[in-house]
Amino acid sequence: MERIGFIGTGVMGRPMAANLLRAGYPLSIVARDSAKAASLLALGASSYASAEELARVSDVIILMLPDTKAVEQVLFGSRGIAQGVKEGSIVVDMSTISAAETVKFSSRLEAMKCDLLDAPVSGGESGAEAGTLGIMVGGPQRAFDACSRIFSTMGKTIVYAGPSGCGQKTKLVNQLVGATNLLGAVEGIRLARAAGLNLETTLKVVTSGAASSWMWTNLGAKILQEDFAPGFSMRLQYKDVSLLKDMTVELGGDYPATRLVYALFEKAIELGLAQQGNQGLINLWGPDGDYSI
Amino acid sequence: MERIGFIGTGVMGRPMAANLLRAGYPLSIVARDSAKAASLLALGASSYASAEELARVSDVIILMLPDTKAVEQVLFGSRGIAQGVKEGSIVVDMSTISAAETVKFSSRLEAMKCDLLDAPVSGGESGAEAGTLGIMVGGPQRAFDACSRIFSTMGKTIVYAGPSGCGQKTKLVNQLVGATNLLGAVEGIRLARAAGLNLETTLKVVTSGAASSWMWTNLGAKILQEDFAPGFSMRLQYKDVSLLKDMTVELGGDYPATRLVYALFEKAIELGLAQQGNQGLINLWGPDGDYSI
């Protein structure tokens, strides 16, 4: 079995790495915080002091990091992967980052005879734990094929989306559709509340028909319980719609839903809602129906 | 069993009436076009020349009509229901019309000792045929209770939403959420196309996660097949988002998704797309990503 290096063992990365360990993969991590890493070490993970050292002993290096900058740093920074990586290794970046930067990173690694796959995921913490993530993969087909068993250990719906950057682009389509559905759910609940309707009844009947969505059913229920804890934080949602906005600007053309969700999540961050779950979008409006801001 | 009068036996009304006939209800229609009515007459429906005559022999009168004006005409126009209706009859308006006008109609019928229920539906033609509609009911609770068996013959998820008008208001919340999800689906497909992604792959992976919606899965697939035949026509979609916009204006406050979907469907009507299905919203934009208009 391939020796896997896993960098970024946070809320998403930790259960993903745990599933790989349980499937029998030898797996290394960079454990700066040994308390956080304890559950993976208990499952048999090895620990290295830097990405460079981890890269020396890994055939496949998986990244699950918060943003483009963090990925660049781990790949090409001091004591980074590029300093230790072996010829023929595959780097699998499962973070959600810029598609344009991904293509540049891919070229730089190619010069070192390494393939880069961009393989962002959907399905959140629960999908990571259950091993049922959606995984959207861009990069060389041969690298995708080589990693198919690794992907199926972490995910359920795994698609090859095309050359480098296409995984990230597919993820941004996903984020556009999801963010727009979330706006629909939030505005639907606001309207029901303003009209004096019973919210439970409304949630139930809308769920039963053509207006149903994952966002309405799942985050709608959280809003009714006034549960604004992050499954997916507003901060990350804003990061993703920012990447989405950049993509539409690059492509040119009219993308009104993108424009609207970007503007609303930007306001939500300005209002200090970054640490709430993305369902906290509803807190952008006060009880009078106008912006709280 | 109650004797039912059914007015408005079009795409939705005909299969709904057929389910009532199959369940054994004596049912009358006003058959102006005997070819269209033939299937109901074959199931045992009686035919009357006017709403007035139908009302004289009915305990429950169901309306399934295109708009507020048509409902007003059938209720209070020449040879309308009000001229023939018996004391104690229940009128069940399953059309999607103005909530404010519904409340007025209800008062006028109350003066004749008749209850009016507003009971718009979701689930479309297939839901009407299968008897699995969502039904959102406003009006007197006693009338709702009296009609529960009739509703369960036509629908699956049946909710009592509150006093007169609350069924219509709930329906408009449903339409807001659905129209916003549709916009998300349309813009997601446009973005995937502009980015050169494989559309089948994108449809599949987005369906698997938190961005999934009925609109994405069902109308997304139709768009990929370039099938713009109406399940739910753009004309009716525009009528509904117009009612929705009126409701938000009446309530006051900021409803940006409503504003956006109203503006887009208005443009679609101006562009001559009224006869397409609502998935034809995507035809508002040309291949260069800008408005076709």
Side-chain angles (χ1 to χ4, degrees), chain B residues 168-188:
Chain B
Q168 296 297 348
K169 290 174 188 167
T170 305
K171 174 70 187 274
L172 292 184
V173 170
N174 187 80
Q175 296 310 78
L176 162 59
V177 178
T180 308
N181 294 349
L182 173 58
L183 171 60
V186 159
E187 190 155 314

Side-chain angles (χ1 to χ4, degrees), chain A residues 181-202:
Chain A
N181 294 350
L182 173 57
L183 171 61
V186 159
E187 191 156 313
I189 291 170
R190 291 181 54 227
L191 183 61
R193 201 174 265 164
L197 296 172
N198 180 303
L199 300 182
E200 308 284 347
T201 300
T202 306

Side-chain angles (χ1 to χ4, degrees), chain B residues 41-228:
Chain B
L41 297 175
L43 285 167
S46 312
S47 174
Y48 289 85
S50 69
E52 177 187 357
E53 288 172 63
L54 174 142
R56 284 191 205 289
V57 298
S58 302
D59 306 309
V60 173
I61 303 161
I62 299 177
L63 312 183
M64 191 61 183
L65 294 163
D67 55 31
T68 307
K69 205 167 175 163
V71 171
E72 182 165 27
Q73 182 63 29
V74 162
L75 284 175
F76 304 111
S78 152
R79 307 210 65 192
I81 288 168
Q83 321 237 296
V85 72
K86 302 178 298 172
E87 268 190 25
S89 290
I90 300 173
V91 178
V92 183
D93 179 21
M94 305 187 77
S95 328
T96 296
I97 69 164
S98 157
E101 293 302 308
T102 292
V103 173
K104 291 182 201 162
F105 298 163
S106 173
S107 299
R108 291 174 72 179
L109 285 170
E110 211 182 329
M112 301 173 194
K113 308 224 183 293
C114 293
D115 283 335
L116 174 67
L117 293 173
D118 49 305
V121 306
S122 68
E125 194 179 346
S126 60
E129 279 166 5
T132 57
L133 293 167
I135 310 181
M136 299 148 249
V137 190
Q141 173 95 47
R142 63 172 179 268
F144 174 74
D145 294 340
C147 292
S148 71
R149 192 166 168 270
I150 290 173
F151 285 136
S152 62
T153 302
M154 296 183 284
K156 195 173 154 192
T157 305
I158 297 144
V159 298
Y160 178 67
S164 184
C166 284
Q168 296 297 348
K169 290 174 188 167
T170 305
K171 174 70 187 274
L172 292 184
V173 170
N174 187 80
Q175 296 310 78
L176 162 59
V177 178
T180 308
N181 294 349
L182 173 58
L183 171 60
V186 159
E187 190 155 314
I189 291 171
R190 290 180 55 228
L191 183 62
R193 201 174 264 162
L197 297 172
N198 180 303
L199 299 183
E200 307 285 347
T201 299
T202 306
L203 193 67
K204 179 181 158 190
V205 73
V206 174
T207 294
S208 75
S212 66
S213 69
W214 188 98
M215 292 290 174
W216 173 262
T217 304
N218 291 275
L219 297 190
K222 284 196 180 184
I223 291 170
L224 265 52
Q225 293 152 19
E226 300 193 37
D227 172 3
F228 296 108

Side-chain angles (χ1 to χ4, degrees), chain A residues 1-23:
Chain A
M1 283 176 119
E2 301 92 331
R3 292 167 301 170
I4 297 177
F6 204 113
I7 298 180
T9 48
V11 173
M12 292 292 292
R14 191 159 46 229
M16 291 161 70
N19 283 330
L20 291 167
L21 283 162
R22 285 191 205 100

Side-chain angles (χ1 to χ4, degrees), chain A residues 157 159 173-174 177 180-181 184 187-188 190-191 194-195 201 208 210-212 214-215 244 247 254-258 285 289 291, chain B residues 157 159 173-174 177 180-181 184 187-188 190-191 194-195 201 208 210-215 244 247 254-258 285 289 291:
Chain A
T157 305
V159 298
V173 171
N174 187 80
V177 178
T180 308
N181 294 350
E187 191 156 313
R190 291 181 54 227
L191 183 61
T201 300
S208 75
S212 65
W214 188 98
M215 291 291 174
L244 169 66
M247 179 176 168
D254 175 71
Y255 291 92
T258 298
W285 293 271
Y291 286 121
Chain B
T157 305
V159 298
V173 170
N174 187 80
V177 178
T180 308
N181 294 349
E187 190 155 314
R190 290 180 55 228
L191 183 62
T201 299
S208 75
S212 66
S213 69
W214 188 98
M215 292 290 174
L244 169 65
M247 180 176 167
D254 175 71
Y255 291 93
T258 297
W285 293 271
Y291 286 121

Side-chain angles (χ1 to χ4, degrees), chain A:
Chain A
M1 283 176 119
E2 301 92 331
R3 292 167 301 170
I4 297 177
F6 204 113
I7 298 180
T9 48
V11 173
M12 292 292 292
R14 191 159 46 229
M16 291 161 70
N19 283 330
L20 291 167
L21 283 162
R22 285 191 205 100
Y25 284 102
L27 187 139
S28 306
I29 59 175
V30 177
R32 289 208 183 76
D33 178 337
S34 59
K36 278 191 180 173
S39 67
L40 295 176
L41 297 174
L43 285 167
S46 313
S47 174
Y48 289 85
S50 70
E52 176 187 358
E53 288 172 64
L54 174 143
R56 285 191 205 291
V57 298
S58 301
D59 307 308
V60 172
I61 302 160
I62 299 177
L63 312 183
M64 192 62 183
L65 293 164
D67 55 32
T68 307
K69 204 166 177 163
V71 170
E72 183 166 27
Q73 182 62 30
V74 162
L75 284 175
F76 304 112
S78 152
R79 307 211 63 193
I81 288 168
Q83 320 238 294
V85 72
K86 303 178 299 171
E87 269 190 26
S89 291
I90 300 173
V91 178
V92 183
D93 179 21
M94 304 187 79
S95 328
T96 296
I97 68 164
S98 157
E101 292 302 309
T102 292
V103 173
K104 291 181 202 162
F105 298 161
S106 173
S107 299
R108 291 174 73 181
L109 285 170
E110 211 183 330
M112 302 173 193
K113 307 223 183 294
C114 293
D115 284 335
L116 174 68
L117 293 173
D118 48 305
V121 306
S122 68
E125 194 180 346
S126 61
E129 279 166 5
T132 57
L133 292 167
I135 310 181
M136 301 150 248
V137 190
Q141 174 95 48
R142 64 171 178 269
F144 174 74
D145 294 340
C147 292
S148 70
R149 193 168 166 272
I150 289 174
F151 285 136
S152 61
T153 302
M154 295 182 284
K156 195 172 154 193
T157 305
I158 297 143
V159 298
Y160 179 66
S164 184
C166 285
Q168 296 298 347
K169 289 174 187 167
T170 305
K171 173 69 188 272
L172 292 184
V173 171
N174 187 80
Q175 297 310 77
L176 162 59
V177 178
T180 308
N181 294 350
L182 173 57
L183 171 61
V186 159
E187 191 156 313
I189 291 170
R190 291 181 54 227
L191 183 61
R193 201 174 265 164
L197 296 172
N198 180 303
L199 300 182
E200 308 284 347
T201 300
T202 306
L203 192 69
K204 179 182 158 189
V205 73
V206 173
T207 294
S208 75
S212 65
S213 69
W214 188 98
M215 291 291 174
W216 172 263
T217 304
N218 291 275
L219 296 191
K222 284 196 180 185
I223 292 170
L224 266 52
Q225 292 152 19
E226 299 194 36
D227 172 4
F228 296 108
F232 184 61
S233 75
M234 194 71 88
R235 186 178 61 79
L236 287 175
Q237 176 83 66
Y238 177 62
K239 182 201 75 168
D240 288 2
V241 296
S242 301
L243 290 170
L244 169 66
K245 187 208 63 172
D246 293 347
M247 179 176 168
T248 59
V249 168
E250 230 170 86
L251 288 168
D254 175 71
Y255 291 92
T258 298
R259 248 189 350 255
L260 179 55
V261 296
Y262 175 75
L264 293 174
F265 283 110
E266 190 179 42
K267 267 186 212 284
I269 297 296
E270 284 169 22
L271 197 64
L273 304 178
Q275 302 311 317
Q276 294 193 356
N278 54 353
Q279 70 273 27
L281 179 63
I282 200 166
N283 296 320
L284 197 53
W285 293 271
D288 60 350
D290 271 317
Y291 286 121
S292 316
I293 207 164

